[in-house]
Amino acid sequence: MFTHFRFNFAVGKRHFSALEFPGMPEARNVVVYSRKGCHLCEVVKESLSKLSRRGGFIWHEVDVDSDFELRRQFNDEVPVVFIDGRKAFKYRMDEQEFLKKLAS
């Protein structure tokens, strides 16, 4: 019997969640810092959208140009992907390597 339901998946900037079973680990939190007009950012976001269908993580996008401090910190590094608050990728993201990091 389920204790509660939660959906953990993301489509673009919207966040949804997958069914959570008792004893199942919490979904990992993935953040991609990006900006509009960035081709590499679009490639990473497409990969995250595809991989999120498998479950195990939720992701969201943060536009670095929306905040002075974020722009100062990440201006020349986008896209930057963090998994649970730790920098995992910069500029490009290999899907197999992402899945390995997600599992660790």
Side-chain angles (χ1 to χ4, degrees), residues 14 28 33 41 52 57-58 66 70 77 84 96:
R14 297 206 45 198
R28 308 285 301 269
Y33 291 91
C41 298
S52 70
F57 72 97
I58 57 172
S66 67
L70 289 175
E77 295 189 1
D84 292 335
Q96 294 304 314

Side-chain angles (χ1 to χ4, degrees), residues 33 40 44 73-74 76-82 87-94 101:
Y33 291 91
L40 293 176
V44 167
Q73 185 176 358
F74 297 115
D76 296 329
E77 295 189 1
V78 294
V80 183
V81 177
F82 281 75
K87 187 188 283 187
F89 298 95
K90 178 171 74 172
Y91 306 129
R92 300 186 192 297
M93 184 187 79
D94 178 86
K101 287 184 180 198

Side-chain angles (χ1 to χ4, degrees), residues 33-98:
Y33 291 91
S34 65
R35 67 167 31 101
K36 291 178 182 152
C38 168
H39 173 71
L40 293 176
C41 298
E42 293 304 317
V43 171
V44 167
K45 292 186 292 183
E46 286 175 24
S47 290
L48 289 172
S49 289
K50 180 178 81 172
L51 293 170
S52 70
R53 293 183 200 118
R54 296 180 180 194
F57 72 97
I58 57 172
W59 75 277
H60 69 276
E61 173 186 11
V62 176
D63 182 346
V64 298
D65 293 325
S66 67
D67 179 84
F68 174 78
E69 189 59 33
L70 289 175
R71 185 171 45 251
R72 187 186 67 71
Q73 185 176 358
F74 297 115
N75 189 52
D76 296 329
E77 295 189 1
V78 294
V80 183
V81 177
F82 281 75
I83 299 174
D84 292 335
R86 298 184 72 182
K87 187 188 283 187
F89 298 95
K90 178 171 74 172
Y91 306 129
R92 300 186 192 297
M93 184 187 79
D94 178 86
E95 290 183 4
Q96 294 304 314
E97 189 63 28
F98 173 82

